[in-house]
Amino acid sequence: HWVLRSFLRWAMLNGVQQLGTGFFLLTMYVAKMQQSDSLSLSEAVTASILFNVFGLSIRKIGQVGVYLKECIVSAKRITLFLLSEEVI
């Protein structure tokens, strides 16, 4: 059960890292086209470059979230072990 949850957590993190950035850029482009009915190549390239600059920090935020979740799960496990009757 724990291995499956850990696998799903890391699979989701990797999926977000690989697909999330492209989906976000696509959403930005669609919103721009809906607002102004045009999107020039220079605007698209500039947005892509800026997003790639900040993409690493966005991915790191996701990883920090995963690490925090793992710490919470580990703390719960340790607490349950220390409160068990076998230790006392």
Side-chain angles (χ1 to χ4, degrees):
H1 180 66
W2 175 81
V3 174
L4 178 65
R5 287 177 58 184
S6 181
F7 171 75
L8 289 177
R9 241 184 266 133
W10 282 106
M12 287 177 59
L13 176 67
N14 289 332
V16 166
Q17 286 180 354
Q18 298 300 319
L19 301 175
T21 55
F23 183 69
F24 182 75
L25 277 176
L26 181 64
T27 305
M28 283 178 33
Y29 295 155
V30 168
K32 169 72 171 142
M33 289 184 74
Q34 285 180 347
Q35 288 177 354
S36 65
D37 293 331
S38 68
L39 177 68
S40 68
L41 181 60
S42 63
E43 290 173 337
V45 170
T46 304
S48 177
I49 290 171
L50 286 175
F51 188 75
N52 285 332
V53 167
F54 296 111
L56 180 63
S57 61
I58 292 171
R59 286 191 294 272
K60 292 296 179 184
I61 290 171
Q63 285 180 340
V64 167
V66 170
Y67 293 148
L68 287 175
K69 183 66 176 171
E70 287 182 357
C71 288
I72 291 169
V73 169
S74 297
K76 287 180 182 178
R77 248 190 241 115
I78 291 170
T79 302
L80 289 173
F81 172 74
L82 291 176
L83 293 176
S84 68
E85 295 177 1
E86 298 170 358
V87 176
I88 297 175

